[in-house]
Amino acid sequence: MIYDFRITILDFEFKYSKRSLFSCYLIFILIALLMLPASGFGQKVEIFGYFEPQLMGAKIKNEFYQLSSNKLRVDLQFKPSDKVAFGANFDYITYHGKTQWDILEFLPKSVIDEAANPSFLGIDFNPYVLPFDDRQFLDNAYLKLSFKYADFTVGKQQLSMGTGYVWNPTDVFNQKDMIDPTYEQPGHNALRLDMPFGSGFGLTTIYAPTEDWDYSDVLLKLKGRFSHFDLSILGIQKHWKFTDARLFDPIFMNFIQRDTKRQILGADIVGELLGLGVWAEYAFNDVKIDDEMDKYLLALERFSPPHLSIIRLPSMEIPKNYYEFVAGMDYTFDFQTYVMCEYYRNTLAKSDYKKYNLNDWMQLLSAEKKAISQDQLYLFIQHPATDLINVGGSAIISISDNSFALVPMMTYNVFENVDLNLFLNFYFGKEGTAYAKNLGNGGMVRARIYF
Amino acid sequence: MIKSTTVIIIILLGATNICGQELTADQIIQKVDNLMNQETVYGKMKMTIVTTSGAKRTFEYESWSKDWGEKNLVRYTDPPRVKDQAILMLNNADDIWAYFPRTNRVRKLATHAKKQKMQGSDFTYEDMGSGDAFITNFTAKRLGDEKMEGYDCYKIELTKKKDVNSYYSRIIMWVIKENFVPVVLDYYDEDDPDRLLKRLVQYDIKEIDGVPTGMKMVMYNKEDNTQTSMEMVEVKYNVPIKDEMFTERGLRK
């Protein structure tokens, strides 16, 4: 259950969500476009999307909790010519049922003691409660211009890197949901330039501006093809925040965050070997920590009441460098069964589960870390039971701490444009491990109606 | 005058000799291959799947093919569930890439993916875009002549060559003598050459841009008792198609 939260927490980034005015702008644009069919402009605008009701349930400490959501996604595409394309989509999500989840309920007792106990005007409150508030936002809105030798895309857009299926060391923009790794990723504000050379080679540059010019994200990717293999090398600079979930800032009412600059050298390859599909991905991360926060903490300590004493805790562990590596293979048997396995190593994570601390868990849940345990394995199997039903499942195994999760799944194309997905999740690890039993066994039913 | 008459007689005799010559299996398959793999082909297709329960699913897609079937691109246009999903096959489908618009990802697939059903239909990707696979992957043998679907046909057996990656051990093909259209194809199991898996039948054969074309084909799945029909909504042969279409950039468009 806890892994279902990851994407949602990522959106909140431990901050109270700010409803964007973008949604109003998009509604305005949609209405304006719909009103234009007579001019010929509207005739080229395509509007499509889906409605996705979802029910999630989990058994935690003899209680069964439910959270349901309704997501409406409206996509808009406008291609006035082969050289110009505009795409956008607007998401509206409502939540029902248990919309307040205390993250500490899922975490091992050994790390809960590290949690902060802040109070405001003498009243204690729990900053580890994750609220599922209704949301509406502009997920993507971009303009793509195609020139003879390059494509230029500007605006909020999906940025996906890497050849891995579940884990992508070179994808610094997204965090996949391990229960459903193929679920769509959010849009990112960026400028992207793709320059193909010949049929199999190309250069991609991405610039994603942030508040501070020095911390803006930059990516350079060179792609090539040799024999039946595609490969690429990447250089990336990414602004990365590490949250210290032990320290709650009473002024900004948020957890203390350390700004870091990650410089990454990566590579990926995908192809075929002895009839098997094979892929690998590697990223070396060099981490530079901004010391501005130290000055702020000193000032905070000086003016805070003595009982807060927040900086007396040992500093948060942030490594100077680490690497991530993924290797996988897949195969389709003659009887249509598809199997896949993927190995993942992340040296930012730990090999001994007894050393997992509160920050490790919270950074995992906030997508600041891609893993809490150093070595993991993902196994997947799928078989078309009928023309319309696929059955299968995945096993997510932490080799480092001997815990694992099983995720049986089924997809059913009920009607022409209606899909039904069922996922169950069962955890089998000892308390404190990556896939511990106390994380909450449960499941999810998701329908999707396309229009 | 005598000289020119002699030349005409020699030409006529020669022509008679050629017409009377029995074509070998390899020659017939070569003609089938030449017919099926035009320099370029553009098509709009409508695929209807009839499941065991009788439920129907309809897909529409556009396809582009170049260099006599060596390069293929398929892009779905309907229903919304699969809209803009695309498959690029190069080198006679030895290199395959799939594009998923919902995640904006291009994924290279290994050739085993050709065994997968196309959107749950009775066509595999191997059935769709293998270029000159009939020649490169199979050995042809003539099994005499037969009438099939009302046409006088050559009956040809194609047996899989050693070390070839194919889902089928053999294919029996009925080729119309008049125009070399393979009107019926029986596909046999890779491990059991006597087990009939599927039968493909071409209907409504019309001449489009000088190329005899089955405007509708139906794949009957003998194992699952399902069927998939493929109707050509539009087809154009030997039209200019840019190479750029068969790149990752073209796949994402």
Side-chain angles (χ1 to χ4, degrees), chain A residues 191-249:
Chain A
L191 290 90
R192 176 177 178 146
L193 184 72
D194 292 289
M195 296 170 69
F197 309 130
S199 64
F201 294 80
L203 178 72
T204 296
T205 52
I206 293 171
Y207 174 72
T210 57
E211 194 178 346
D212 186 340
W213 169 266
D214 286 342
Y215 278 93
S216 290
D217 303 334
V218 182
L219 180 144
L220 197 69
K221 177 180 171 180
L222 192 62
K223 191 174 179 180
R225 186 180 302 160
F226 297 99
S227 184
H228 295 297
F229 284 88
D230 281 1
L231 50 94
S232 44
I233 51 172
L234 301 95
I236 308 165
Q237 177 183 286
K238 179 88 176 86
H239 178 208
W240 203 256
K241 283 184 177 177
F242 280 99
T243 303
D244 194 335
R246 304 166 306 167
L247 303 179
F248 193 80
D249 183 339

Side-chain angles (χ1 to χ4, degrees), chain B residues 110-142:
Chain B
T111 49
H112 62 72
K114 285 192 281 185
K115 296 174 186 174
Q116 291 173 6
K117 291 179 171 187
M118 198 175 159
Q119 300 294 350
S121 74
D122 296 299
F123 287 90
T124 63
Y125 287 102
E126 182 178 356
D127 300 329
M128 294 305 298
S130 299
D132 54 0
F134 288 149
I135 293 174
T136 55
N137 294 356
F138 294 90
T139 308
K141 184 181 157 191
R142 267 194 76 170

Side-chain angles (χ1 to χ4, degrees), chain A residues 147 223 272 334 336 413, chain B residues 57 111 115 190 248-249:
Chain A
F147 301 98
K223 191 174 179 180
E272 185 171 340
D334 294 343
Q336 296 281 317
N413 179 232
Chain B
R57 296 289 181 271
T111 49
K115 296 174 186 174
E190 186 181 9
E248 184 176 324
R249 191 185 193 192

